[in-house]
Amino acid sequence: MPIPDGLDRIDLRGIAAHGHHGVFDDEKRDGQTFIADVSLGLDLGPAAREHDLTKTVHYGILAQQIHDAIVNDPVDLIETVALRMVDLCLAEESVQWVSVTVHKPEAPIAVTFDDVAVTIERSKL
């Protein structure tokens, strides 16, 4: 799902944290690194014209919330973590579209791989 026409974009890439998500006992016990990439679709015109932070997204606060979604409340699936992040983003009034990718580069996969990731995209439109 591409970003809808007429929306601008804010990207937060590479938000990394140690979380305890996974279906295996050692994943829950030991944890591992998770990395989140977030793209927000919104109209940045009002904020830019008026120099008004309240008309955009405070990405410092959102980055902390994304970090906390990785660190807190362990779940079995990274799909659940990604959806949790999507819901956080869409709770921002100005955000009309969001794409969240959660990477699990240390996933317990038996073959050589670089990364495994889940992407969820949603729109208020």
Side-chain angles (χ1 to χ4, degrees):
M1 170 189 314
I3 188 169
D5 288 341
L7 293 181
D8 306 306
R9 196 161 134 175
I10 294 175
D11 294 315
L12 292 166
R13 301 227 182 270
I15 300 169
H18 190 82
H20 294 265
H21 311 289
V23 297
F24 299 114
D25 290 340
D26 59 326
E27 292 181 291
K28 290 192 184 322
R29 182 187 65 240
D30 303 334
Q32 60 193 287
T33 300
F34 294 86
I35 302 164
D37 299 324
V38 177
S39 294
L40 308 173
L42 64 161
D43 181 0
L44 295 174
R49 280 190 291 280
E50 299 172 33
H51 310 284
D52 187 348
L53 181 60
T54 66
K55 296 189 177 177
T56 185
V57 173
H58 191 305
Y59 46 80
I61 292 172
L62 182 61
Q64 183 64 55
Q65 292 172 329
I66 297 298
H67 174 273
D68 293 348
I70 295 171
V71 172
N72 298 320
D73 303 319
V75 294
D76 289 348
L77 302 176
I78 60 174
E79 291 85 342
T80 305
V81 179
L83 186 59
R84 180 185 297 170
M85 294 175 185
V86 164
D87 292 342
L88 282 169
C89 295
L90 288 177
E92 294 282 341
E93 184 178 334
S94 60
V95 173
Q96 297 300 306
W97 171 89
V98 63
S99 177
V100 170
T101 300
V102 175
H103 303 265
K104 188 175 179 180
E106 300 166 13
I109 298 174
V111 299
T112 301
F113 74 103
D114 289 330
D115 189 22
V116 63
V118 167
T119 300
I120 296 179
E121 296 181 355
R122 295 289 186 270
S123 174
K124 289 181 184 174
L125 305 174

mmCIF file of all heavy atoms in Angstrom, residues 21-22 24 27 32-37 76-79 82 100-119:
data_model
loop_
_atom_site.group_PDB
_atom_site.id
_atom_site.type_symbol
_atom_site.label_atom_id
_atom_site.label_comp_id
_atom_site.label_asym_id
_atom_site.label_seq_id
_atom_site.Cartn_x
_atom_site.Cartn_y
_atom_site.Cartn_z
ATOM 1 N N HIS A 21 10.366 -10.894 22.848
ATOM 2 C CA HIS A 21 9.259 -11.430 22.054
ATOM 3 C C HIS A 21 9.709 -12.702 21.342
ATOM 4 O O HIS A 21 10.842 -12.799 20.880
ATOM 5 C CB HIS A 21 8.805 -10.392 21.020
ATOM 6 C CG HIS A 21 8.586 -9.044 21.603
ATOM 7 N ND1 HIS A 21 7.526 -8.763 22.446
ATOM 8 C CD2 HIS A 21 9.301 -7.899 21.498
ATOM 9 C CE1 HIS A 21 7.592 -7.497 22.813
ATOM 10 N NE2 HIS A 21 8.657 -6.949 22.259
ATOM 11 N N GLY A 22 8.810 -13.661 21.235
ATOM 12 C CA GLY A 22 9.100 -14.891 20.511
ATOM 13 C C GLY A 22 8.320 -16.050 21.082
ATOM 14 O O GLY A 22 7.809 -15.985 22.202
ATOM 15 N N PHE A 24 9.621 -19.122 21.527
ATOM 16 C CA PHE A 24 10.473 -20.069 22.240
ATOM 17 C C PHE A 24 10.856 -19.531 23.621
ATOM 18 O O PHE A 24 11.025 -18.326 23.815
ATOM 19 C CB PHE A 24 11.728 -20.384 21.425
ATOM 20 C CG PHE A 24 11.420 -21.012 20.095
ATOM 21 C CD1 PHE A 24 11.700 -20.333 18.922
ATOM 22 C CD2 PHE A 24 10.835 -22.276 20.019
ATOM 23 C CE1 PHE A 24 11.411 -20.905 17.691
ATOM 24 C CE2 PHE A 24 10.540 -22.843 18.794
ATOM 25 C CZ PHE A 24 10.826 -22.163 17.620
ATOM 26 N N GLU A 27 13.866 -17.241 23.837
ATOM 27 C CA GLU A 27 13.620 -15.884 23.334
ATOM 28 C C GLU A 27 12.978 -15.023 24.422
ATOM 29 O O GLU A 27 13.335 -13.867 24.608
ATOM 30 C CB GLU A 27 12.699 -15.917 22.111
ATOM 31 C CG GLU A 27 13.318 -16.535 20.881
ATOM 32 C CD GLU A 27 12.349 -16.515 19.724
ATOM 33 O OE1 GLU A 27 11.333 -17.253 19.779
ATOM 34 O OE2 GLU A 27 12.607 -15.755 18.770
ATOM 35 N N GLN A 32 16.352 -10.424 22.645
ATOM 36 C CA GLN A 32 17.186 -10.159 21.484
ATOM 37 C C GLN A 32 16.886 -8.765 20.962
ATOM 38 O O GLN A 32 15.959 -8.098 21.433
ATOM 39 C CB GLN A 32 16.950 -11.207 20.397
ATOM 40 C CG GLN A 32 15.516 -11.253 19.898
ATOM 41 C CD GLN A 32 15.253 -12.492 19.069
ATOM 42 O OE1 GLN A 32 15.715 -12.573 17.940
ATOM 43 N NE2 GLN A 32 14.529 -13.452 19.637
ATOM 44 N N THR A 33 17.652 -8.341 19.993
ATOM 45 C CA THR A 33 17.469 -7.019 19.399
ATOM 46 C C THR A 33 16.331 -7.030 18.388
ATOM 47 O O THR A 33 16.241 -7.941 17.558
ATOM 48 C CB THR A 33 18.764 -6.561 18.698
ATOM 49 O OG1 THR A 33 19.806 -6.508 19.673
ATOM 50 C CG2 THR A 33 18.592 -5.195 18.058
ATOM 51 N N PHE A 34 15.495 -6.029 18.467
ATOM 52 C CA PHE A 34 14.450 -5.774 17.485
ATOM 53 C C PHE A 34 14.680 -4.364 16.957
ATOM 54 O O PHE A 34 15.112 -3.476 17.704
ATOM 55 C CB PHE A 34 13.057 -5.868 18.113
ATOM 56 C CG PHE A 34 12.716 -7.248 18.586
ATOM 57 C CD1 PHE A 34 13.102 -7.674 19.848
ATOM 58 C CD2 PHE A 34 12.022 -8.126 17.777
ATOM 59 C CE1 PHE A 34 12.805 -8.952 20.289
ATOM 60 C CE2 PHE A 34 11.719 -9.407 18.212
ATOM 61 C CZ PHE A 34 12.116 -9.823 19.476
ATOM 62 N N ILE A 35 14.377 -4.167 15.687
ATOM 63 C CA ILE A 35 14.573 -2.867 15.055
ATOM 64 C C ILE A 35 13.279 -2.480 14.352
ATOM 65 O O ILE A 35 12.684 -3.297 13.643
ATOM 66 C CB ILE A 35 15.730 -2.909 14.041
ATOM 67 C CG1 ILE A 35 17.019 -3.358 14.748
ATOM 68 C CG2 ILE A 35 15.923 -1.548 13.377
ATOM 69 C CD1 ILE A 35 18.115 -3.794 13.812
ATOM 70 N N ALA A 36 12.862 -1.235 14.536
ATOM 71 C CA ALA A 36 11.613 -0.759 13.923
ATOM 72 C C ALA A 36 11.889 0.394 12.968
ATOM 73 O O ALA A 36 12.695 1.291 13.266
ATOM 74 C CB ALA A 36 10.639 -0.313 15.001
ATOM 75 N N ASP A 37 11.223 0.347 11.831
ATOM 76 C CA ASP A 37 11.197 1.451 10.866
ATOM 77 C C ASP A 37 9.751 1.900 10.754
ATOM 78 O O ASP A 37 8.857 1.072 10.558
ATOM 79 C CB ASP A 37 11.684 0.998 9.487
ATOM 80 C CG ASP A 37 13.108 0.485 9.507
ATOM 81 O OD1 ASP A 37 13.933 1.037 10.262
ATOM 82 O OD2 ASP A 37 13.401 -0.473 8.763
ATOM 83 N N ASP A 76 4.288 -13.266 21.666
ATOM 84 C CA ASP A 76 4.867 -14.338 20.859
ATOM 85 C C ASP A 76 5.320 -13.865 19.475
ATOM 86 O O ASP A 76 6.336 -14.322 18.964
ATOM 87 C CB ASP A 76 3.861 -15.479 20.679
ATOM 88 C CG ASP A 76 3.619 -16.265 21.957
ATOM 89 O OD1 ASP A 76 4.388 -16.089 22.930
ATOM 90 O OD2 ASP A 76 2.656 -17.047 21.987
ATOM 91 N N LEU A 77 4.552 -12.994 18.858
ATOM 92 C CA LEU A 77 4.767 -12.670 17.442
ATOM 93 C C LEU A 77 5.203 -11.225 17.217
ATOM 94 O O LEU A 77 4.651 -10.307 17.844
ATOM 95 C CB LEU A 77 3.474 -12.909 16.657
ATOM 96 C CG LEU A 77 2.894 -14.318 16.709
ATOM 97 C CD1 LEU A 77 1.577 -14.367 15.959
ATOM 98 C CD2 LEU A 77 3.880 -15.330 16.154
ATOM 99 N N ILE A 78 6.129 -11.038 16.267
ATOM 100 C CA ILE A 78 6.496 -9.660 15.915
ATOM 101 C C ILE A 78 5.354 -8.978 15.162
ATOM 102 O O ILE A 78 5.289 -7.756 15.126
ATOM 103 C CB ILE A 78 7.835 -9.566 15.154
ATOM 104 C CG1 ILE A 78 7.823 -10.339 13.840
ATOM 105 C CG2 ILE A 78 8.978 -10.000 16.045
ATOM 106 C CD1 ILE A 78 9.084 -10.135 12.997
ATOM 107 N N GLU A 79 4.445 -9.757 14.615
ATOM 108 C CA GLU A 79 3.253 -9.171 14.018
ATOM 109 C C GLU A 79 2.463 -8.374 15.066
ATOM 110 O O GLU A 79 1.941 -7.303 14.771
ATOM 111 C CB GLU A 79 2.358 -10.256 13.413
ATOM 112 C CG GLU A 79 2.924 -10.942 12.194
ATOM 113 C CD GLU A 79 3.855 -12.120 12.490
ATOM 114 O OE1 GLU A 79 4.369 -12.248 13.623
ATOM 115 O OE2 GLU A 79 4.087 -12.920 11.560
ATOM 116 N N ALA A 82 4.344 -5.143 15.781
ATOM 117 C CA ALA A 82 4.151 -4.195 14.679
ATOM 118 C C ALA A 82 2.773 -3.551 14.745
ATOM 119 O O ALA A 82 2.641 -2.325 14.579
ATOM 120 C CB ALA A 82 4.349 -4.891 13.337
ATOM 121 N N VAL A 100 4.724 0.326 9.344
ATOM 122 C CA VAL A 100 5.668 -0.077 10.392
ATOM 123 C C VAL A 100 6.301 -1.399 9.967
ATOM 124 O O VAL A 100 5.597 -2.345 9.614
ATOM 125 C CB VAL A 100 4.962 -0.253 11.748
ATOM 126 C CG1 VAL A 100 5.902 -0.906 12.758
ATOM 127 C CG2 VAL A 100 4.455 1.073 12.275
ATOM 128 N N THR A 101 7.626 -1.445 10.014
ATOM 129 C CA THR A 101 8.363 -2.687 9.786
ATOM 130 C C THR A 101 9.131 -3.014 11.050
ATOM 131 O O THR A 101 9.868 -2.167 11.571
ATOM 132 C CB THR A 101 9.338 -2.554 8.606
ATOM 133 O OG1 THR A 101 8.597 -2.237 7.422
ATOM 134 C CG2 THR A 101 10.111 -3.844 8.376
ATOM 135 N N VAL A 102 8.946 -4.221 11.551
ATOM 136 C CA VAL A 102 9.695 -4.705 12.709
ATOM 137 C C VAL A 102 10.648 -5.790 12.213
ATOM 138 O O VAL A 102 10.224 -6.787 11.621
ATOM 139 C CB VAL A 102 8.762 -5.249 13.810
ATOM 140 C CG1 VAL A 102 9.587 -5.851 14.949
ATOM 141 C CG2 VAL A 102 7.856 -4.148 14.329
ATOM 142 N N HIS A 103 11.926 -5.564 12.465
ATOM 143 C CA HIS A 103 12.987 -6.503 12.077
ATOM 144 C C HIS A 103 13.387 -7.345 13.281
ATOM 145 O O HIS A 103 13.484 -6.834 14.401
ATOM 146 C CB HIS A 103 14.231 -5.732 11.606
ATOM 147 C CG HIS A 103 13.977 -4.792 10.485
ATOM 148 N ND1 HIS A 103 14.184 -5.139 9.168
ATOM 149 C CD2 HIS A 103 13.540 -3.507 10.478
ATOM 150 C CE1 HIS A 103 13.881 -4.102 8.397
ATOM 151 N NE2 HIS A 103 13.494 -3.106 9.170
ATOM 152 N N LYS A 104 13.651 -8.605 13.013
ATOM 153 C CA LYS A 104 14.126 -9.533 14.039
ATOM 154 C C LYS A 104 15.372 -10.240 13.483
ATOM 155 O O LYS A 104 15.324 -11.402 13.069
ATOM 156 C CB LYS A 104 13.009 -10.536 14.385
ATOM 157 C CG LYS A 104 13.295 -11.423 15.562
ATOM 158 C CD LYS A 104 12.078 -12.290 15.883
ATOM 159 C CE LYS A 104 12.338 -13.212 17.041
ATOM 160 N NZ LYS A 104 11.160 -14.047 17.361
ATOM 161 N N PRO A 105 16.507 -9.512 13.460
ATOM 162 C CA PRO A 105 17.705 -10.043 12.791
ATOM 163 C C PRO A 105 18.356 -11.225 13.496
ATOM 164 O O PRO A 105 19.188 -11.913 12.890
ATOM 165 C CB PRO A 105 18.642 -8.835 12.746
ATOM 166 C CG PRO A 105 18.190 -7.952 13.861
ATOM 167 C CD PRO A 105 16.703 -8.157 13.959
ATOM 168 N N GLU A 106 17.994 -11.483 14.744
ATOM 169 C CA GLU A 106 18.569 -12.611 15.480
ATOM 170 C C GLU A 106 17.553 -13.738 15.660
ATOM 171 O O GLU A 106 17.685 -14.569 16.572
ATOM 172 C CB GLU A 106 19.064 -12.128 16.850
ATOM 173 C CG GLU A 106 20.125 -11.049 16.755
ATOM 174 C CD GLU A 106 20.368 -10.326 18.079
ATOM 175 O OE1 GLU A 106 19.903 -10.813 19.138
ATOM 176 O OE2 GLU A 106 21.010 -9.266 18.056
ATOM 177 N N ALA A 107 16.552 -13.788 14.794
ATOM 178 C CA ALA A 107 15.504 -14.821 14.897
ATOM 179 C C ALA A 107 16.128 -16.215 14.854
ATOM 180 O O ALA A 107 17.124 -16.446 14.166
ATOM 181 C CB ALA A 107 14.504 -14.667 13.754
ATOM 182 N N PRO A 108 15.542 -17.153 15.582
ATOM 183 C CA PRO A 108 16.077 -18.518 15.616
ATOM 184 C C PRO A 108 15.698 -19.298 14.350
ATOM 185 O O PRO A 108 14.790 -20.130 14.350
ATOM 186 C CB PRO A 108 15.433 -19.113 16.870
ATOM 187 C CG PRO A 108 14.142 -18.375 17.003
ATOM 188 C CD PRO A 108 14.418 -16.982 16.506
ATOM 189 N N ILE A 109 16.411 -18.987 13.286
ATOM 190 C CA ILE A 109 16.198 -19.645 11.988
ATOM 191 C C ILE A 109 17.427 -20.494 11.693
ATOM 192 O O ILE A 109 18.560 -20.023 11.861
ATOM 193 C CB ILE A 109 15.960 -18.594 10.879
ATOM 194 C CG1 ILE A 109 14.685 -17.805 11.198
ATOM 195 C CG2 ILE A 109 15.886 -19.249 9.509
ATOM 196 C CD1 ILE A 109 14.415 -16.647 10.251
ATOM 197 N N ALA A 110 17.227 -21.722 11.244
ATOM 198 C CA ALA A 110 18.316 -22.690 11.090
ATOM 199 C C ALA A 110 19.232 -22.423 9.899
ATOM 200 O O ALA A 110 20.324 -22.979 9.835
ATOM 201 C CB ALA A 110 17.738 -24.099 11.003
ATOM 202 N N VAL A 111 18.814 -21.603 8.958
ATOM 203 C CA VAL A 111 19.647 -21.331 7.785
ATOM 204 C C VAL A 111 20.239 -19.931 7.901
ATOM 205 O O VAL A 111 19.760 -19.088 8.662
ATOM 206 C CB VAL A 111 18.827 -21.460 6.477
ATOM 207 C CG1 VAL A 111 18.281 -22.881 6.334
ATOM 208 C CG2 VAL A 111 17.701 -20.452 6.427
ATOM 209 N N THR A 112 21.284 -19.671 7.129
ATOM 210 C CA THR A 112 21.901 -18.347 7.116
ATOM 211 C C THR A 112 20.927 -17.339 6.516
ATOM 212 O O THR A 112 20.324 -17.586 5.473
ATOM 213 C CB THR A 112 23.197 -18.375 6.287
ATOM 214 O OG1 THR A 112 24.079 -19.336 6.869
ATOM 215 C CG2 THR A 112 23.865 -17.012 6.277
ATOM 216 N N PHE A 113 20.760 -16.206 7.201
ATOM 217 C CA PHE A 113 19.877 -15.148 6.717
ATOM 218 C C PHE A 113 20.375 -13.821 7.269
ATOM 219 O O PHE A 113 21.125 -13.779 8.247
ATOM 220 C CB PHE A 113 18.419 -15.406 7.119
ATOM 221 C CG PHE A 113 18.141 -15.157 8.581
ATOM 222 C CD1 PHE A 113 17.486 -14.003 8.992
ATOM 223 C CD2 PHE A 113 18.555 -16.059 9.551
ATOM 224 C CE1 PHE A 113 17.247 -13.768 10.338
ATOM 225 C CE2 PHE A 113 18.307 -15.838 10.894
ATOM 226 C CZ PHE A 113 17.656 -14.685 11.296
ATOM 227 N N ASP A 114 19.975 -12.732 6.638
ATOM 228 C CA ASP A 114 20.363 -11.397 7.094
ATOM 229 C C ASP A 114 19.332 -10.791 8.038
ATOM 230 O O ASP A 114 19.691 -10.104 8.985
ATOM 231 C CB ASP A 114 20.545 -10.441 5.907
ATOM 232 C CG ASP A 114 21.782 -10.755 5.091
ATOM 233 O OD1 ASP A 114 22.762 -11.256 5.669
ATOM 234 O OD2 ASP A 114 21.755 -10.506 3.876
ATOM 235 N N ASP A 115 18.067 -11.033 7.759
ATOM 236 C CA ASP A 115 17.019 -10.364 8.514
ATOM 237 C C ASP A 115 15.695 -11.057 8.241
ATOM 238 O O ASP A 115 15.496 -11.651 7.185
ATOM 239 C CB ASP A 115 16.925 -8.896 8.070
ATOM 240 C CG ASP A 115 16.013 -8.046 8.934
ATOM 241 O OD1 ASP A 115 15.761 -8.412 10.097
ATOM 242 O OD2 ASP A 115 15.558 -6.992 8.457
ATOM 243 N N VAL A 116 14.805 -10.968 9.190
ATOM 244 C CA VAL A 116 13.404 -11.311 8.966
ATOM 245 C C VAL A 116 12.611 -10.115 9.473
ATOM 246 O O VAL A 116 12.963 -9.513 10.489
ATOM 247 C CB VAL A 116 12.991 -12.631 9.666
ATOM 248 C CG1 VAL A 116 13.115 -12.533 11.164
ATOM 249 C CG2 VAL A 116 11.589 -13.039 9.273
ATOM 250 N N ALA A 117 11.602 -9.730 8.725
ATOM 251 C CA ALA A 117 10.851 -8.530 9.085
ATOM 252 C C ALA A 117 9.386 -8.704 8.724
ATOM 253 O O ALA A 117 9.039 -9.438 7.801
ATOM 254 C CB ALA A 117 11.416 -7.311 8.358
ATOM 255 N N VAL A 118 8.548 -7.990 9.485
ATOM 256 C CA VAL A 118 7.116 -7.942 9.242
ATOM 257 C C VAL A 118 6.752 -6.487 9.021
ATOM 258 O O VAL A 118 7.198 -5.617 9.771
ATOM 259 C CB VAL A 118 6.339 -8.507 10.453
ATOM 260 C CG1 VAL A 118 4.871 -8.196 10.360
ATOM 261 C CG2 VAL A 118 6.567 -9.990 10.586
ATOM 262 N N THR A 119 5.958 -6.215 7.998
ATOM 263 C CA THR A 119 5.495 -4.863 7.723
ATOM 264 C C THR A 119 3.973 -4.839 7.764
ATOM 265 O O THR A 119 3.317 -5.684 7.155
ATOM 266 C CB THR A 119 5.985 -4.365 6.343
ATOM 267 O OG1 THR A 119 7.411 -4.366 6.340
ATOM 268 C CG2 THR A 119 5.473 -2.964 6.052
#
